[in-house]
Amino acid sequence: MEQSIQKLRVWAGIVLSLLLLQLVLGLAAMKILTISVSNPWFGSHPAGLLDVHAILGLLIFALAFHMFALSRRAASSKRQADIGLGGIALATITGALFVQTGGTSNIFSDLMALGIFVAIVGYGWMMLASSPLARSSSSED
């Protein structure tokens, strides 16, 4: 059980790092990316930025499912994994909708950012809850 909790903590750190990178890429895309309305997935400029952002988002989504499964086996941090996966799902779905609409709907952009924020809260909470300091203080009570 202790090893599963440690794995969750390590994976949460990895996902948090990737989420921060994704946030930076999203902010860069917002400032310099032009999405073609007629061909949103392949007509963006500069070429490649949208692809990297989307592929990283799908990688994070896969890792969120991995952490969801780990939390079920470890019987701990279930709520945090649920919150993290929910936030990433929201960001992934609304991100795809944002690109599909040619970047013309700001609500999808806002919901994408909200999803990333929710995921950061969930995985940050997971790291705090699974830290040795938190476990030692809860066992003293």
Side-chain angles (χ1 to χ4, degrees):
M1 175 93 85
E2 180 71 30
Q3 188 178 16
S4 295
I5 292 171
Q6 184 59 28
K7 278 184 187 178
L8 276 173
R9 186 170 164 75
V10 169
W11 280 113
I14 291 168
V15 170
L16 279 170
S17 300
L18 291 174
L19 281 169
L20 292 175
L21 176 62
Q22 184 72 329
L23 187 60
V24 169
L25 283 173
L27 291 172
M30 184 177 68
K31 290 295 183 192
I32 64 173
L33 186 68
T34 303
I35 299 175
S36 168
V37 177
S38 62
N39 190 6
W41 289 102
F42 300 107
S44 62
H45 179 76
L49 181 59
L50 181 62
D51 297 334
V52 170
H53 186 63
I55 290 169
L56 182 58
L58 291 175
L59 172 67
I60 293 169
F61 194 51
L63 289 175
F65 271 113
H66 174 71
M67 296 198 48
F68 178 82
L70 272 179
S71 72
R72 294 322 189 247
R73 276 191 265 149
S76 67
S77 302
K78 289 180 185 178
R79 270 182 290 188
Q80 296 94 332
D82 293 346
I83 291 168
L85 178 59
I88 289 172
L90 176 65
T92 302
I93 292 166
T94 56
L97 290 171
F98 177 74
V99 172
Q100 194 61 35
T101 60
T104 59
S105 181
N106 285 337
I107 188 69
F108 293 134
S109 178
D110 295 342
L111 288 172
M112 189 175 18
L114 177 65
I116 288 177
F117 174 75
V118 167
I120 288 171
V121 168
Y123 293 123
W125 181 19
M126 181 183 284
M127 285 195 69
L128 289 173
S130 64
S131 73
L133 183 60
R135 287 194 315 269
S136 68
S137 66
S138 65
S139 65
E140 291 175 3
D141 294 336

